Amino acid sequence: MRAMSWPSCRRFRVADMAADVRLALEPFDPAAELSRFTAANLSAGGVVSFLGQVRNGDGVEALELSHYAPLTLPGMQALAAEALTRWSLEGLLIIHRAGIMVPGDAIVLVAAAARHRRDAFAATDFAMDHLKSESWFWKREKVGGLWRWIEPRGEDHEDLARWV
Amino acid sequence: MRAMSWPSCRRFRVADMAADVRLALEPFDPAAELSRFTAANLSAGGVVSFLGQVRNGDGVEALELSHYAPLTLPGMQALAAEALTRWSLEGLLIIHRAGIMVPGDAIVLVAAAARHRRDAFAATDFAMDHLKSESWFWKREKVGGLWRWIEPRGEDHEDLARWV
Amino acid sequence: MIRLVFLGRLADLAGAGALELTLAGPSPLEDILLALPAPLAGPLADPRIKLALNGTLVARDGLVVDAGDELAFLPPVSGG
Amino acid sequence: MIRLVFLGRLADLAGAGALELTLAGPSPLEDILLALPAPLAGPLADPRIKLALNGTLVARDGLVVDAGDELAFLPPVSGG
């Protein structure tokens, strides 16, 4: 880890709704997290989730995400707060890994619970677009034993422009 | 059940990709299904899911979805085939309950795995809009001990018009 | 004998999810509706109610039903 | 003494995620870059690299760094 230590879990409230926003420095179990989130949001009719995982079969042996502690989690929290003001949600979960991951490991889990499914879809989509292009993570991958940094993708910025 | 029996599970292939489409006549475990789906699609970078569950706290004691066997599952399979031709997916899962459910029970689970998350979002959203407004289910709910039929919602048809 | 299947609220009107009816021979839809009680036949005449004959959607116009057939009455769906 | 933090590929260029530097007093960014090896100072001058002073994003223009400060160099992010 290049960055200083930082609390890996923090809860905050916007409009009396708690978002659960975490920067995970160790592997997490997305199925268990989603089960817990769903069980905690039984008043919501629908839960949309996005799980990003390290792909298998691309020859990528490992992926490392580095972060900068003073900015990364606060940025994720600000993103959650923005999603809560834009859509009517019953619950919002954002977990993002940092550190070294191998194929099959979960990188990011976003879940939104809402009475109306359109809100849950939009909030999840919005959070992913912003996590991908605006959050403070730097990514490199190991292929054939060599690490190489991943450049920002133009596609991510096009995705982001959808929300302006 | 008003309708005749029908195989509750059928797999078929479109463009060499298997969709898993099921009409569940008994409760199913959405977390276990999603875990299995995710594990089976490690070559996909992203998995989007939608889980619809019977809401708690609306005073609804039970929900019943009736189906018509000769049309309901074939309609769901045609919907999956359509999603597979529209988007580039690595996997697609559609499970829809029929029968009597209580608050907290899963009604529908749709999950799409794709290399590019936009495909997974769009396919899941598309499948939900069509399941809600076009699939052969009739819904009634029990409130205060009395069953009442749920009318089609105009909102569902607006959602559907997004895909034309 | 034909089998009539009623989905959704139509099952409540019919008092059952399915009814069996004996016909003299191949019969148009109008004759089948005439054989049913008016409080049920009235709603079934609504063109928003779709029909499936032996599991396949069919048009109302010109529909003829014969012995051994299953005719389903499908009101607008209310979604999942 | 100030602490310089390098994120992403800048850490490779710097040979470390962080360096410490002793300053004579409050110093403008230009003076800090002059104190670094040219192969590192060159890329750090790129305006696409954002700066955070003590955990807060700051503009390059007029930036002054003093003893005890942490200055982070943040290249474009590559997403989650």
Side-chain angles (χ1 to χ4, degrees):
Chain A
M1 238 34 266
R2 292 203 172 79
M4 65 181 74
S5 73
W6 192 260
S8 68
C9 175
R10 183 184 281 193
R11 280 173 175 272
F12 63 100
R13 297 193 150 257
V14 174
D16 209 34
M17 204 287 287
D20 182 355
V21 180
R22 287 181 254 166
L23 179 62
L25 305 181
E26 300 293 333
F28 66 95
D29 178 348
E33 293 291 349
L34 192 56
S35 284
R36 194 195 42 69
F37 179 77
T38 297
N41 286 284
L42 285 181
S43 61
V47 175
V48 170
S49 74
F50 177 86
L51 169 64
Q53 53 191 4
V54 183
R55 270 205 280 259
N56 214 335
D58 282 354
V60 173
E61 293 146 26
L63 182 74
E64 184 184 22
L65 283 176
S66 44
H67 71 289
Y68 182 53
L71 295 180
T72 308
L73 183 61
M76 290 165 61
Q77 291 167 331
L79 173 61
E82 168 77 9
L84 294 182
T85 60
R86 282 196 179 214
W87 293 284
S88 181
L89 303 179
E90 309 258 316
L92 179 62
L93 171 68
I94 299 179
I95 305 176
H96 205 300
R97 263 301 299 280
I100 295 180
M101 288 153 267
V102 294
D105 279 359
I107 306 169
V108 56
L109 176 67
V110 172
R115 288 183 72 86
H116 303 293
R117 73 179 185 283
R118 191 123 328 283
D119 287 331
F121 271 109
T124 305
D125 198 4
F126 170 86
M128 280 309 307
D129 279 357
H130 286 73
L131 284 170
K132 280 279 178 181
S133 56
E134 280 201 338
S135 61
W136 297 104
F137 291 102
W138 295 269
K139 183 157 66 177
R140 58 177 191 162
E141 53 185 35
K142 194 178 185 180
V143 177
L146 295 174
W147 285 103
R148 63 174 188 215
W149 290 98
I150 307 298
E151 296 297 326
R153 300 185 315 149
E155 193 183 309
D156 288 335
H157 291 279
E158 287 164 31
D159 288 344
L160 201 63
R162 298 160 61 225
W163 304 102
V164 176
Chain B
M1 236 38 265
R2 292 203 173 79
M4 65 182 73
S5 73
W6 192 259
S8 68
C9 174
R10 184 184 281 195
R11 281 171 174 272
F12 63 100
R13 298 192 149 256
V14 174
D16 209 36
M17 203 290 284
D20 182 354
V21 181
R22 287 180 253 166
L23 179 63
L25 304 181
E26 300 293 332
F28 67 95
D29 178 348
E33 294 291 348
L34 193 56
S35 286
R36 195 193 43 71
F37 179 76
T38 298
N41 286 284
L42 285 182
S43 61
V47 175
V48 170
S49 74
F50 177 86
L51 169 65
Q53 52 191 4
V54 183
R55 270 205 281 259
N56 215 335
D58 282 353
V60 173
E61 293 145 25
L63 181 73
E64 184 184 21
L65 282 177
S66 43
H67 70 290
Y68 182 54
L71 294 179
T72 307
L73 183 61
M76 291 165 61
Q77 290 166 333
L79 173 61
E82 168 78 10
L84 293 182
T85 61
R86 283 197 178 213
W87 293 283
S88 180
L89 304 178
E90 309 258 316
L92 179 62
L93 172 68
I94 300 178
I95 305 176
H96 205 299
R97 261 303 299 280
I100 295 179
M101 287 153 269
V102 295
D105 280 357
I107 307 169
V108 57
L109 175 67
V110 172
R115 287 183 72 86
H116 302 294
R117 71 178 186 284
R118 190 123 330 283
D119 286 332
F121 270 109
T124 306
D125 198 3
F126 170 86
M128 280 310 306
D129 279 357
H130 286 73
L131 284 169
K132 280 280 179 182
S133 56
E134 280 202 336
S135 61
W136 297 104
F137 290 104
W138 295 269
K139 183 157 65 177
R140 58 177 191 161
E141 54 184 37
K142 194 178 184 179
V143 177
L146 295 174
W147 285 101
R148 64 174 186 215
W149 290 98
I150 308 298
E151 296 299 326
R153 300 185 313 148
E155 193 182 309
D156 288 334
H157 291 280
E158 287 163 31
D159 287 344
L160 201 62
R162 298 161 61 225
W163 304 102
V164 176
Chain C
M1 202 159 71
I2 62 165
R3 181 178 161 84
L4 303 179
V5 176
F6 305 103
L7 279 301
R9 66 167 70 241
L10 298 177
D12 288 353
L13 286 177
L19 291 179
E20 305 207 322
L21 208 65
T22 304
L23 301 178
S27 306
L29 177 62
E30 294 69 31
D31 287 3
I32 292 166
L33 297 184
L34 283 174
L36 296 172
L40 175 59
L44 295 184
D46 184 335
R48 285 172 301 178
I49 292 174
K50 297 206 165 97
L51 305 177
L53 184 63
N54 301 321
T56 301
L57 290 173
V58 290
R60 283 176 177 262
D61 288 351
L63 181 65
V64 173
V65 183
D66 204 353
D69 285 344
E70 174 170 298
L71 178 65
F73 293 88
L74 313 159
V77 296
S78 42
Chain D
M1 203 160 69
I2 62 165
R3 181 179 160 83
L4 304 180
V5 176
F6 305 103
L7 278 302
R9 65 168 71 243
L10 298 176
D12 287 354
L13 286 178
L19 291 178
E20 304 209 320
L21 208 65
T22 304
L23 300 177
S27 307
L29 178 62
E30 295 70 29
D31 288 2
I32 292 166
L33 296 185
L34 283 174
L36 296 173
L40 176 60
L44 295 183
D46 184 335
R48 283 173 301 180
I49 292 175
K50 298 206 165 98
L51 305 177
L53 184 64
N54 300 322
T56 301
L57 290 173
V58 289
R60 282 176 177 264
D61 289 352
L63 181 64
V64 173
V65 183
D66 203 354
D69 284 344
E70 173 170 299
L71 178 63
F73 293 89
L74 313 159
V77 297
S78 42

